[in-house]
Each structure stands twice: as C-alpha cells, then as structure tokens.
Amino acid sequence: MRKRSGQSRWEKAVFGVIYLAAAVIAVILVVNIIRNDPDSASAAISAVCYVIAAAFFVGAVALIQNSRTSKFKELKNIEKTMEQINSMVVLWDTSFTYVRANDTFIRTTGYSEEELLDPEVMKKVLPPDAFSENLQGIINNRDEEFIIRTKNGSGVCTVWNTSIATTIDGSTMREGMTIMMSIGPNLTETNKMKQEVIAASKKLRESEKRYALSMDLSEIGLILKEKGSSRFYVSDQLCEMLGIVSTGGYAEGEAIREVFHPKDRIVFDTFASGMKNASEDLSRDEIHSVDFRARSADGDYHWFNFRYQSPKSGDLDVGGAIMDITAEKEKDLVIERMAYIDEVTQIYNRNKFMMMGNEILECTRLDKTVNYWVIVLDIDSFHIINDTCGYTNGNHLLKEIAAVLLSNLTEGGFTARIGGDNFALLIRATDDDELPMRLIKRIQLDIANIDGMGLETQNITCSAGYCLMSDGGMGDFAQVLDRAEFALSLSDGTRSSILRFDNRAHDAIIAGNAIEKDLSRAIENNELVLYYQPKINLEDGTVMGMEALIRWIKPDGTVVPPSDFIPVAENSLLITQISKFVLFEACRQNKQWQDIGLAPVTVSINLSAIDFYQTNVTETIRTALSETGLDAQYLDVELTESLALKDIDHAVMQMQEIKDLGVKLSMDDFGTGYSSLSYIQMLPITLLKLDRSFIMYLEEDEISREIVSAVIRIAKSKKIETIAEGIETVGQGEILKKSGCDYAQGYFFGKPMPADRFEEFLRSRQNRTVKV
C-alpha cells in the first residue's frame, strides 16, 4: 500500500475553520473588553491566546482520532480482501501481536485460526528466516522459495512475497504498529510437474539415441504418410534397403510400389488405402502385419515383413516399418508351405486365401474406390473323372487347372485351391462389370483344352459363381466367399454355368430359413390350427364332407397362409410333423363332432410327396384312426396327380395299402399335371377332384365345359365319383350338376372356417338342404 504524505484536504479544511473561529472569537473579546474596560487590554489579549491554543488542541485531537478510525477500517478491508486471494496469505506485525491468516493458509497448514495466533505455532509453520525484525530485508527478499510445515509434518513449497499492508500510529496493541502482508502460492504440484518434465526430457533424449542406434543396427526402414501430403516419408535405412531415391526424405507412391513383386503389389495397395477416407476406418490403431517380396538394392527379390498402422490421432495418416526377413523366411518356408500351400497343386490353399481376403476386404473399406471380384470355380462331375481315369490323373488335372488360373491371373490378383475340386480367385474390379464373365469364359476354354494322361477323352468343364466384395455386407471375408459359393450353388446342374450373386435369391433363402426357425417354434408352441371347408352334394345340397386346411396363427393374431410356409416345410422336412398334426387333429375333431350328435361326414387331408414316399404312411394312418376312434370310412386322403405319377408302381402299391384300411382316396388337382385318363383305371382312387382352372371358365368357354363333361363321364364309367373345387357362382354349380358332377367345393358354398364356426355351419345344415 502507498504511504501517506502531508495533510489531506479535509484535514486542512478543519484546521482552517478552527483558526478562523478562534480569530473571530478573539477579535470579539478584545473589542468588548477595550470598549468596556480599556485598562484590561493586556488581560484580553491573554484570553485570546488561550482560546486559540484550545482551538488548536481540540482540532488536533479530532484529527488524530479520525485518522486512527480510518486506519482500522482500512485494515478490516484488507482482512476481507485476503480471503479472496487463492493463495496462502498472512497479515502480521513483527512482534506477532497481530496475526491473521486466510482460509487457504488454514486449509493448507491444517492449523485452526486460534492455533495460528500463537507465535510458537507460527514458528513451527514458517522457517526461521521467513519473518524478522528487519522489515526492509524481508521486503527486498522477494520471490524466495520457502518450505512451510503443515500440522501433519509434510512440506509445502511456496514463493514467499512480503510487503507493508498499512501502518497504525498508536493502538491498544502497540504504538506505531506496522502491518505486513505475506503471500505464498502453493508450488508443490508445479515443482512436481517441473521435475517430471525434466525427467521425461532426459528419458526422451536417451530414447532417441537408443532408437537411432537400434535402427542402424537392426536395418529397419520406416515409411510414413502425413496428413495433407501426397508423398511418403521414407527413412534413409529404407532407401538403402530397397534402392529408393528420395528427395528431402520423401518419395512418390508409384516409385515405392514399383519395387514390390508384381504378385505382392496388392500388399502396398492395401497399405496405401489406409490414407484414404481415414475418418471412416473402423479399425484404426490396429497393427497390421504382412510379408511381401520386393526388389532389394542388390537387384534381387528379398522377403520383407511389413507392420503398419493407421493411428486415430495425430498428424499421421498411416505409418509402417519394413524389415528384411529373407533369412528367417527361408527357415520358415517348410512350415509355411504346410500351412498355406496346397500339396497337390502347389498354389495357395484356403487358409492363405482367407487371410488375403480379409486383408483386401479391409482395403476396400478404407478406400471406397477400390473393389474386388471374388470368383469360385467348381470342376463339373470331377468325381466321374476320378472314377474313370483314376486319382493320379485327377490330381494331374487339378495341377493343370491351377496352372491355367495362374496364367489368367491379372496383376494384383490372387488364386487358391479352397477344397476338393474348388478353386477361387480375387481380381481387382474396374468399371467393366463384364470382366469376371470374360475371365471365367477364358478359363473355361483353357480348361477344356487340357490333355495328357488319358484326359483327352474327358469333357472337362467348370462352373463358376462370383460376386463383388462389396456385396458381402458388413461381415468378414468368410461371408463374402459364402455369397460367391451361394451363387455357384444356384446352378441347376448345367455344365459351364456362370452365375453372379443375386441379393433377391439370397434374401429369399434367408427369409426361408427365418420362416423355418419360426415354423419349428410354432409347431412346439401349438400355433398351427385347422380350418375346415365344406364339400356339398350337388344332388340335394347336403354337407357330405369337409377338407382340413392348415393355418399358422401367430401369438399376435397374424394368420400365415399355407403358401408362405408349406414350401419351406417341404424343403426342411418339417412337413412330416405338420402332416402328422393334420391327420391326428382332423380325425380327432371329426370324431368329436360325431360324438356330440352331428351327422357323420368325411374329412379330407392332404399328403405331401415326402409323407407318401419316405414314411410308413399306412401305419401312421392306422395309428391315427385307432387313437382317435374315427371309423376309416370317414377319412379321405387326397394326393396330387404329380405325386401319384412320380413313381407309378410305388404309388399304386402304397395307395392300395391305404385303401385296404377302409380309407377313401382322392386325386387332387386333376388336369394340372401330365394327366392321362388311362391312369384313372390304374390308380385305386375313389374320388376325382377337378382343378379350379377348368371350373373358372365354365360359363363362357364351351371347350372347358366339354372337357369337364368328358372327364366326368369317364370317371363314372370307372365307378369313380367326381368333385369340382373353386365354385364361386350359381352358374358354375348348375353346369356341373347338369354334367353329372357329384360334389362341389368353393366359396359359393363356404370359405374355410375355424372349428367352432364350422360346427355352427354343420348345425345350421343339419335339418335342411340347399339345392343348386
């Protein structure tokens, strides 16, 4: 604080007023005295002097008291201010009669405010030379570091600065007291960080020396790509290893790529792509390691190991280290050949193909402008070649095919035998979508010309499936290869077929698999139910039977039509479980309706080809009738004509066994397949079902009417009843009745209904007839 000098304006004003008042009083007294008593002049002058002296004394006392009050107010303000300082602050006088410490000082030292009033405590806290009677020496000794001791004995480093805060001339504490302010910021953490920086710098210098030495001794070359630069930084070691010429430590990418072996340049392409679209790289900081061949400074190709990384932060897009491993590679060659070389063809095997595929897939994700075709080849009927020519010749053919693939491989491409008679290729995609098609056809032509060892007599062909690597979705390379193999699997057996992966076909298979899983759970959870559609006697309109139709009702109430899940069930063999459910449930329900007094009717069920040809269907039907108690005459088994004609001899035998049980047999959808009326007399059927394709045009097409009439007449001549399905109008029913058709089924008479509604339908028709 600045020291005061001289009197302030208000002090001068006070003294002026006092002097003026004293002078006025003195003049008045002298005038009065002289006027009243001229002889008393000397006494009057003496009185005036006393008055003036008294005035000066009163003024002086007032000024001193006012100055002291002002000083104490100033000290209080200083005490308040020091609490706002974010450092340790102590107000003190040299005798420690007056000591005040702020909250930061109290918090740091651990002493209470009362404890710090004790001079002995302060001597424990502060070093001996922190405070002394030599005030000017303390003031001059600024920015000196002191260690303050806390209550628990620990040290706190501070830079101690002391200055005069204020002076109080006379007080109850001490006359002429000078108040000092000492401020000490806590430097403990700062000094700690400073020491750490010094230590780290020392380690860094030592590390740099060791790094430079190790790089020289280990012959490791560095290649880096900084953000915003189109060139590569190459270390001196790398330039010496590969014979690369650099300018200021930098080289162009094409110059580096040129020294890579032509068949290994894909490695550099993968590395270089790490700099493009770097922000989209999902695997940054992952270290990649790959071996490659490159032309060394001596002109020969050497083996090198390349480890590189795309860091998430910093100014580096991608960086890698290259080391000559020719000696180690030769030692590991035997092991590598066992792991990655196909024994028969001497080209890469599936393991190596998958490894390279994953590396290249990473390349396409880093650089959206790069893509690859994945091609899978399969030798058509290779097993026949093995059987007819022997395994030795078969292996010879595989070697020749491997040679064909290598000769047709484009630069940067890759090929391998991935199993048995399957080969695969990776070729870089261009704007030409016909590239893989042309390549495959060229390969097929070369394979067809393979001869030697008796292969001249063989028709050697291969089929192929292919896809773009980007068609593989978000999965790994295994998923990409699966899609190429999926395309190959879509071949219908035609030789030399070439198929590209089709998302729609693939999605249909995936959807079918999902339906299969859901259907399997639906069977376990009893989500399958039967609906019933009535069959009407055209003569009198009575209900003569019903067809049991499967429905899948999900827990949310969604009804899945049979056309959506029956084909899936047939492909997955779930159809056997479904058919068994339909058989037993239809028999049970029909017997229940008979037991409650409804008129007996026949229930029809459908059998699939799997049920009919691959299971003991007769025994299953016998068990269902026995367990439910339904009389065999009230069960009708419907078979499609395509199913019956698949193996006519077996069909006749199987159908006869079913008929011997007393069960009725119907031929469903007659007229939609390769129908021949002559089969009617061969098959032991009791009912012929006319397909709706004949019925829908009956009213307007004369030919349809004649065909239907002819079929009905022939059936009657063989004592086979007829039923028409798909009846939707009165006119259709009338034509069929006039043509001699026995029964009818269709929306005109009733749609498929759940069991409870069909029971009501049966009751409503119990005592009345509906004629057409």
Side-chain angles (χ1 to χ4, degrees):
M1 175 176 287
R2 187 177 59 188
K3 187 176 180 182
R4 292 164 54 102
S5 61
Q7 292 178 327
S8 64
R9 290 181 179 180
W10 69 270
E11 290 172 335
K12 292 178 180 180
V14 169
F15 277 112
V17 170
I18 293 174
Y19 296 157
L20 179 61
V24 171
I25 294 171
V27 170
I28 294 172
L29 288 174
V30 171
V31 170
N32 288 332
I33 292 173
I34 294 174
R35 184 182 296 172
N36 297 324
D37 187 2
D39 295 330
S40 302
S42 61
I45 293 172
S46 298
V48 168
C49 291
Y50 281 119
V51 170
I52 293 173
F56 272 103
F57 176 76
V58 171
V61 171
L63 285 175
I64 292 171
Q65 185 62 34
N66 185 72
S67 176
R68 184 178 299 164
T69 301
S70 175
K71 287 288 186 177
F72 278 115
K73 286 182 180 179
E74 182 179 0
L75 182 60
K76 289 298 181 182
N77 289 335
I78 293 174
E79 290 177 353
K80 291 180 181 179
T81 302
M82 74 177 186
E83 292 298 341
Q84 309 301 319
I85 300 175
N86 192 22
S87 294
M88 293 181 287
V89 182
V90 179
L91 293 176
W92 58 284
D93 74 316
T94 55
S95 65
F96 288 101
T97 304
Y98 170 82
V99 177
R100 295 289 187 274
N102 69 347
D103 288 342
T104 302
F105 190 93
I106 293 170
R107 222 173 23 249
T108 303
T109 61
Y111 288 99
S112 66
E113 187 175 3
E114 291 76 14
E115 290 174 319
L116 292 174
L117 295 175
D118 185 350
E120 295 302 320
V121 172
M122 289 298 291
K123 291 177 182 179
K124 292 180 182 179
V125 175
L126 301 169
D129 55 346
F131 303 127
S132 71
E133 294 291 342
N134 183 9
L135 297 183
Q136 192 60 46
I138 294 175
I139 294 172
N140 293 338
N141 191 20
R142 292 180 177 273
D143 297 328
E144 183 176 351
E145 290 191 9
F146 287 107
I147 300 298
I148 292 177
R149 294 296 168 186
T150 65
K151 192 172 185 179
N152 61 16
S154 61
V156 178
C157 182
T158 66
V159 174
W160 206 248
N161 289 282
T162 301
S163 59
I164 297 175
T166 186
T167 58
I168 300 177
D169 298 328
S171 70
T172 57
M173 301 180 211
R174 183 179 177 185
E175 294 294 331
M177 182 173 62
T178 300
I179 304 299
M180 312 295 292
M181 176 183 285
S182 297
I183 301 176
N186 189 340
L187 299 182
T188 302
E189 290 300 321
T190 303
N191 284 349
K192 181 179 178 182
M193 292 174 62
K194 178 179 177 181
Q195 294 303 318
E196 290 177 351
V197 170
I198 293 173
S201 299
K202 182 179 179 181
K203 288 182 179 180
L204 180 60
R205 288 193 298 271
E206 294 174 352
S207 176
E208 287 174 346
K209 292 179 181 178
R210 289 195 299 268
Y211 168 76
L213 180 61
S214 64
M215 293 295 286
D216 289 337
L217 295 177
S218 62
E219 297 184 351
I220 296 177
L222 295 182
I223 178 170
L224 308 172
K225 171 67 169 57
E226 299 170 353
K227 292 179 180 177
S229 175
S230 60
R231 298 177 302 163
F232 292 86
Y233 165 79
V234 287
S235 65
D236 293 341
Q237 291 90 344
L238 185 63
C239 292
E240 293 176 6
M241 290 164 58
L242 301 181
I244 300 173
V245 178
S246 67
T247 302
Y250 289 87
E252 297 296 332
E254 192 58 37
I256 302 172
R257 187 177 188 271
E258 186 65 27
V259 302
F260 277 63
H261 192 283
K263 293 185 178 180
D264 290 342
R265 284 172 184 168
I266 191 172
V267 174
F268 180 81
D269 293 339
T270 303
F271 163 76
S273 66
M275 289 115 25
K276 301 176 182 178
N277 301 321
S279 62
E280 300 178 16
D281 181 13
L282 300 179
S283 60
R284 282 186 165 281
D285 282 344
E286 179 182 348
I287 297 176
H288 303 267
S289 178
V290 65
D291 296 343
F292 68 96
R293 290 161 292 180
R295 189 173 56 250
S296 184
D298 60 11
D300 295 330
Y301 282 105
H302 288 216
W303 277 101
F304 295 89
N305 176 257
F306 190 16
R307 290 171 61 84
Y308 62 93
Q309 179 186 39
S310 293
K312 286 183 178 178
S313 58
D315 296 329
L316 191 65
D317 261 341
V318 66
I322 297 177
M323 180 172 61
D324 192 325
I325 58 167
T326 302
E328 291 81 358
K329 196 71 176 179
E330 291 175 352
K331 295 177 183 177
D332 297 338
L333 187 60
V334 174
I335 298 175
E336 181 173 354
R337 290 186 67 83
M338 293 176 62
Y340 298 124
I341 302 298
D342 178 62
E343 184 177 357
V344 175
T345 62
Q346 297 303 299
I347 64 173
Y348 288 122
N349 60 13
R350 187 183 187 93
N351 292 337
K352 186 67 173 182
F353 190 75
M354 297 303 295
M355 181 185 299
M356 288 301 300
N358 279 310
E359 286 287 338
I360 296 172
L361 179 61
E362 188 70 16
C363 165
T364 64
R365 286 177 175 165
L366 295 175
D367 184 357
K368 304 302 182 186
T369 65
V370 177
N371 213 341
Y372 283 79
W373 292 104
V374 182
I375 303 172
V376 178
L377 300 171
D378 176 73
I379 310 306
D380 296 325
S381 303
F382 181 71
H383 63 284
I384 296 178
I385 297 175
N386 272 336
D387 293 341
T388 58
C389 299
Y391 285 98
T392 300
N393 291 335
N395 287 343
H396 171 71
L397 175 59
L398 293 175
K399 292 177 183 178
E400 292 294 320
I401 291 174
V404 167
L405 297 181
L406 288 173
S407 66
N408 284 280
L409 205 60
T410 58
E411 182 179 331
F414 193 80
T415 187
R417 181 190 178 200
I418 60 175
D421 59 334
N422 292 124
F423 294 82
L425 300 97
L426 278 167
I427 59 172
R428 188 159 182 169
T430 64
D431 294 335
D432 182 9
D433 277 356
E434 297 300 317
L435 172 64
M437 180 69 74
R438 289 198 307 274
L439 176 62
I440 294 169
K441 287 183 177 180
R442 189 165 63 244
I443 291 172
Q444 288 176 333
L445 182 61
D446 290 347
I447 288 176
N449 293 326
I450 293 176
D451 55 16
M453 300 187 72
L455 296 174
E456 297 85 353
T457 60
Q458 298 294 323
N459 180 24
I460 304 173
T461 61
C462 73
S463 295
Y466 66 97
C467 73
L468 267 176
M469 186 168 278
S470 57
D471 290 339
M474 296 302 294
D476 56 11
F477 181 70
Q479 185 179 24
V480 179
L481 185 61
D482 284 345
R483 297 197 167 189
E485 291 177 326
F486 173 80
L488 177 64
S489 70
L490 293 180
S491 170
D492 58 1
T494 304
R495 284 175 172 267
S496 301
S497 62
I498 303 174
L499 295 170
R500 181 176 177 176
F501 172 76
D502 184 353
N503 262 316
R504 291 170 298 180
H506 181 264
D507 292 345
I509 297 292
I510 298 300
N513 291 337
I515 291 176
E516 179 183 341
K517 291 180 182 178
D518 291 344
L519 182 57
S520 179
R521 286 193 294 266
I523 294 173
E524 295 176 1
N525 298 335
N526 299 317
E527 296 176 18
L528 300 182
V529 299
L530 291 185
Y531 276 42
Y532 300 90
Q533 187 174 26
K535 295 180 178 181
I536 305 300
N537 189 323
L538 286 174
E539 182 62 32
D540 57 15
T542 59
V543 179
M544 54 76 58
M546 56 190 170
E547 182 176 5
L549 301 168
I550 190 71
R551 294 290 185 271
W552 175 8
I553 303 179
K554 294 186 175 182
D556 61 0
T558 303
V559 178
V560 184
S563 59
D564 286 355
F565 66 89
I566 290 299
V568 175
E570 290 177 339
N571 290 331
S572 65
L573 301 183
L574 288 174
I575 191 65
T576 301
Q577 298 181 52
I578 294 175
S579 297
K580 187 175 182 180
F581 165 76
V582 173
L583 171 62
F584 277 76
E585 178 61 17
C587 292
R588 184 202 64 78
Q589 184 64 75
N590 197 15
K591 182 63 169 67
Q592 179 180 321
W593 281 330
Q594 291 178 15
D595 290 344
I596 63 176
L598 295 177
V601 295
T602 301
V603 63
S604 301
I605 65 165
N606 292 277
L607 284 183
S608 70
I610 294 176
D611 302 319
F612 191 71
Y613 285 103
Q614 299 182 16
T615 63
N616 188 357
V617 65
T618 305
E619 188 59 36
T620 302
I621 293 173
R622 180 184 290 110
T623 301
L625 293 172
S626 175
E627 291 184 3
T628 61
L630 181 68
D631 195 298
Q633 64 176 317
Y634 296 116
L635 176 64
D636 179 20
V637 175
E638 294 187 2
L639 305 169
T640 62
E641 64 170 297
S642 59
L643 181 154
L645 301 180
K646 183 177 181 181
D647 184 344
I648 189 67
D649 294 332
H650 179 82
V652 171
M653 180 185 69
Q654 191 84 300
M655 292 170 71
Q656 190 59 54
E657 288 182 1
I658 296 173
K659 189 174 182 180
D660 290 344
L661 293 176
V663 174
K664 296 176 182 178
L665 287 170
S666 299
M667 179 175 286
D668 193 12
D669 300 335
F670 184 81
T672 59
Y674 302 97
S675 302
S676 173
L677 294 175
S678 62
Y679 286 120
I680 295 178
Q681 61 185 6
M682 296 176 59
L683 301 174
I685 60 176
T686 56
L687 185 67
L688 189 66
K689 199 170 189 179
L690 301 175
D691 188 70
R692 70 182 66 234
S693 61
F694 292 110
I695 308 305
M696 59 192 304
Y697 301 112
L698 279 180
E699 294 180 87
E700 57 271 4
D701 186 17
E702 180 64 29
I703 295 177
S704 294
R705 290 195 293 270
E706 290 180 1
I707 293 174
V708 169
S709 296
V711 172
I712 291 173
R713 286 196 304 271
I714 295 173
K716 283 187 176 296
S717 69
K718 303 298 182 181
K719 294 183 171 43
I720 297 175
E721 295 180 311
T722 56
I723 181 172
E725 63 178 349
I727 310 302
E728 296 183 356
T729 67
V730 175
Q732 291 172 347
E734 290 176 344
I735 293 172
L736 288 167
K737 183 177 179 180
K738 290 178 183 179
S739 299
C741 185
D742 299 300
Y743 312 115
Q745 180 182 351
Y747 283 5
F748 177 74
F749 301 105
K751 295 181 179 181
M753 295 170 271
D756 54 348
R757 285 179 52 198
F758 191 78
E759 181 178 327
E760 295 175 2
F761 179 84
L762 286 177
R763 291 183 185 280
S764 68
R765 296 297 186 99
Q766 188 77 45
N767 299 316
R768 67 186 181 92
T769 60
V770 177
K771 294 186 178 182
V772 178

